[in-house]
Amino acid sequence: MSDDKNDPVEIFRGHVELDYQYTAGVSASRFLRAVEQGKFLGQKCPVDGRVYFPSRGSCPMHAVPFGDDSTVELPDKGTVVTYSIVRVPSENIPLELPYITVQVLIDGADTALGHVLDANLDDVRMGMRVQAKWKPKSEWTTSMANIEYFVPIDEPDADYETYKEHI
Amino acid sequence: MAELTAVVGIGQTKYQSKHLDHSMPSLVRVAAEKALADADCTWADIDAVILGKAPDMFEGVMMPELWLNDAIGGAYKPMLRVHTAGSVGGSTGIVAASMVQSGIHERVLCVAFEKQSESNATWALSISMPFSLASVAGAGGYFAPLVRGYMRRSGAPEDTGIRVAVKDRQNALKNPLAHLQLEDISFDMVANSPMLWDPIRYLETCPSSDGACAMVMESEALASKRSNKVAWIHATEMRSEPTQFSGRDQVMPQATLDNSKALYKKAGITNPRKELDCAEIYVPFSWFEPMWMEGMRIAPINEGWKMTYEGATALDGDFPVNMSGGVLSSNPIGASGLIRFAEAARQVRGIADAHQVDGAKKALGHAYGGGSQYFSTWIVSSEKP
Amino acid sequence: MRDVAVVGFTQSPSLRRETDRNEVEILIPVIQELRAQTGITNDEVDFVCSGSSDYLAGSSFAFISGLDAVGAWPPICESHVEMDGAWALYEAWVKIQMGYADVALVYGFGKPSMGDVPLTMALQLDPYMMMPLWPDAISVAALQARMGLDAGIYSERDMAERAVRDRGNAKSSDVAQVKGDFTVDGILADPYIANPLRKHDCAPISDGASAMIIATADVANRLQDRPAWIRGFEHICEPMDFGVRDLNASRSTEIAAEKAGVRSDKIDVAELSAPFTHQQILIERALGLDDATNINPSGGALAGNPIMAVGLSRIGEAAKRVWDGSADRAVAHATSGPCLQQNLVCLLEGN
């Protein structure tokens, strides 16, 4: 901005700050309480039996709520169905560049979870088997951030046919 | 039933990273005034106004249509604000058309805009919500894994995306309104640009733009009296599906396949590749050209890349795509869909200047948004159906 | 024009704070109940339209999650307005008029308890000249109320009477948030919160959702003995700037009512969504209502104010009075923007 009185005002900085208090929701709360205990919970659709992970309030295909009895416990291992190597900084993400974002299909789940993978950039591939690396137990809270990242594990890659419908 | 409706006026601002020369009201007004001038109308001739834009947080104004209403001539008139994620520009055109097609209004004005320089879109798109881990870096971070999925299943050559980028950037040089004007664009320049969200390179992505686009639409009774060419709306279609569900094909969503099928049925089209002369498709990352060629049933599944590779989608090809330079060259998000619709109309009206496709009679306008889950499309023609 | 009627309507309770449920969880039972009420399944619905606000939700694209409550599979024809659900209904009605649809599902939802609504509403104002001053929504309404009082258009007693009437009516509502037996003198003894507005002059802030199905004659006559036919549907927007419009009248409501044919015969029931008592008076005047009309039998916005759904709910409440035969002609009203900037009028008839 120029101080010259005859120059137009082209831009000024305004500050907008609003506080919000979010509610996770009934279903997500159940999920997050389990994550706080180091457990993954999925939910089974009462119509087609497909397992949603992370669990959510309802089945988006059938618009039916997931009741208490729909909960199933899942392992913390899964398959990378697709990924990207990110080299662009983003204000909301504190990770060092470059980092790998992955869509992980947890074993027994029918929807993929977005997370971060700690691996050699050259090694990451579709079908790679991975497992959650949890933070120290003393730091666990009701957040998916309890999982620091996923790490590769020594298992043969999953066959493309087994996960291709989850991309 | 539906009244025949035509696009009779089109106005666009120049697209650029910062419009310091325009306030928000001034930006939308410039586009609206140009559309009125093109339609040879005055503000008093407009029965209703429709405003579209992407999330309010992009500019930090809640429901900005209220404030902008008199800038677009909406004082004491019906006014609607459309918001359907990235497809909003297309949806805005469709809602405006429906106001005339329903017989409720004779002539309407629609405007879509974004002034990204007044906020931070990547921030607004990636607000950290509690309970979840932020790992998606803006739209590129979201769509890059889908592009990888497409590459895997189609077996497309890895330089397909580069070829799309070069072609759209060359087209932009023929469109003075386009934001990015890269005079020395070349295959190597795109190939050597930094990898941002692997496999998407810097020059395979869209810019962040300020800009507005406007259209005037009219009933058949009014439009038929005009001596200049108008663009007759043959069909419009919209489809949505949820963001995430089990078995969702995010690379080739059912919503796009359903949308294109229904659109062609309404327009009486059986072979879109032959019957359409050109298309303006929403391609924010280069690889989405082959993907949406398939989604719009112009190419067989997993073969969209062949059209790019063979040069069919070039300005002088047999099915030109994004003659204006497309979203890759200008991306005022909320307006981008309406620009696709408007550029399709310019083609069939024969007023696309240096990026005109010779003899274009029938054209497709396309927009998509959300997590590849919202689709809005239309077909316009120089002839009545 | 095609004959189109309101054939189904459901709403959540208006609550100051939904402590456990998120927006989708609020919406799901509302839509499930609507399906049960009408027997209409997804494959019979040709078009879906919704209304909501990102700024209320505090995140971009907040409306997308609403799709989860509809069951958008197979993919649906769908659109969204960043407006009250009443305008989503208008868009759906237009789609039916053009022959694009015969049956439409419409919903509006919001969870304003997540944020500070009066402050958030300041973001609707001119961002260059007014918003940096952060005028909250109650203060802006108070300025308008002061103008009307000083001009002798209404008195503080007139305003208090609206609060007593609407909250008294709301006693029979199972979704209202503020209801009970109040007295004018009691209210007038209360302190001001933003002179000349007292707490009772302001609508509550409510979390909530509502949903509706409208349909052409074939379906309407099958589902309802007495469908609520939409005979007039108009909306008008004024400029925002306070200096260029008459704040002591609602010119946009007058124009919309005139075009909708509201005044051509007696109105039995009116449901108004003005969020302040003085605005209720301005809307009653603009619609030409008098003692012959039962105003806000549900309690209106002053009894429950689920922002982004409250206007649609007024249309639903008016339709209920037509269905049950207590009204032959009913008018519903929705508003948006500071000081009644934008207004919508929907005329429903039983015959």
Side-chain angles (χ1 to χ4, degrees), chain B residues 1-3 22-25 47 54-67 69-70 74-86 91 94-95 97-99 101-105 115 118 124-125 127 129 236-245 254-256 258 266 370-371 373-374, chain C residues 1-2 47 53-61 63-65 67-68 71-84 87 90-91 93-100 102 120-121 123-128 131 234-241 244-246 251-252 255 259 308 336-338 341-342:
Chain B
M1 289 300 216
E3 307 278 334
H22 291 297
S23 63
M24 273 185 257
D47 298 334
D56 292 0
M57 286 179 188
F58 281 6
E59 286 84 9
V61 184
M62 181 184 186
M63 299 154 78
E65 66 280 4
L66 293 165
W67 169 51
N69 185 46
D70 63 346
Y76 300 100
K77 289 175 183 172
M79 185 273 291
L80 283 174
R81 156 72 190 288
V82 182
H83 179 18
T84 61
S91 307
I94 290 176
V95 171
S98 68
M99 295 297 150
Q101 291 168 317
S102 59
I104 292 168
H105 297 301
K115 199 151 191 276
E118 299 206 15
L125 287 172
I127 294 172
M129 297 297 279
T236 68
E237 194 56 84
M238 299 168 92
R239 280 293 185 285
S240 314
E241 69 181 42
T243 316
Q244 194 194 28
F245 56 85
Q254 191 62 40
T256 182
D258 288 5
K266 279 183 189 168
Q373 66 191 121
Y374 285 85
Chain C
M1 286 297 202
R2 302 177 81 192
F47 185 68
S53 160
D54 278 355
Y55 260 107
L56 281 192
S59 69
S60 294
F61 305 119
F63 62 93
I64 294 181
S65 66
L67 278 181
D68 287 4
W73 186 263
I76 56 174
C77 291
E78 187 255 358
S79 192
H80 171 262
V81 291
E82 195 83 356
M83 311 174 84
D84 185 286
W87 279 270
Y90 182 84
E91 184 181 334
W93 176 76
V94 169
K95 288 285 193 294
I96 294 182
Q97 290 304 331
M98 68 179 273
Y100 186 97
D102 293 330
T120 305
M121 292 287 192
L123 291 179
Q124 288 188 335
L125 304 170
D126 180 333
Y128 307 135
M131 189 264 150
E234 303 287 343
H235 61 105
I236 295 288
C237 191
E238 303 184 25
M240 176 180 279
D241 284 355
V244 303
R245 57 181 163 120
D246 185 356
R251 183 73 193 120
S252 49
I255 298 169
K259 289 168 73 179
M308 310 316 281
S336 179
Q341 185 192 347
Q342 184 178 26

Side-chain angles (χ1 to χ4, degrees), chain A residues 105-123:
Chain A
L105 186 66
I106 293 293
D107 294 346
D110 292 299
T111 55
L113 163 79
H115 216 286
V116 180
L117 179 72
D118 184 36
N120 266 328
L121 299 187
D122 295 337
D123 291 345

Side-chain angles (χ1 to χ4, degrees), chain B residues 54-55 83-90 282 333-334 336-337 367-370 374 376, chain C residues 61 63:
Chain B
H83 179 18
T84 61
S87 69
V88 61
Y282 202 104
I333 300 181
S336 289
Y368 88 98
Y374 285 85
S376 52
Chain C
F61 305 119
F63 62 93

Side-chain angles (χ1 to χ4, degrees), chain A residues 12 14-30 56-66, chain C residues 17-22 24-25 28 32 55-58 68-73 111 114-115 120 123 127-128 131 134:
Chain A
F12 71 93
H15 184 72
V16 176
E17 189 171 318
L18 293 167
D19 288 327
Y20 290 89
Q21 286 189 312
Y22 294 101
T23 309
V26 177
S27 184
S29 295
R30 193 164 32 211
R56 51 199 297 149
S58 64
C59 170
M61 295 174 91
H62 305 102
V64 290
F66 288 150
Chain C
R17 183 179 298 279
E18 283 271 3
T19 49
D20 297 333
R21 300 192 296 175
N22 61 24
V24 179
E25 288 169 338
I28 283 176
Q32 281 194 317
Y55 260 107
L56 281 192
D68 287 4
V70 178
W73 186 263
K111 197 178 170 188
M114 292 194 291
T120 305
L123 291 179
Y128 307 135
M131 189 264 150
W134 286 96

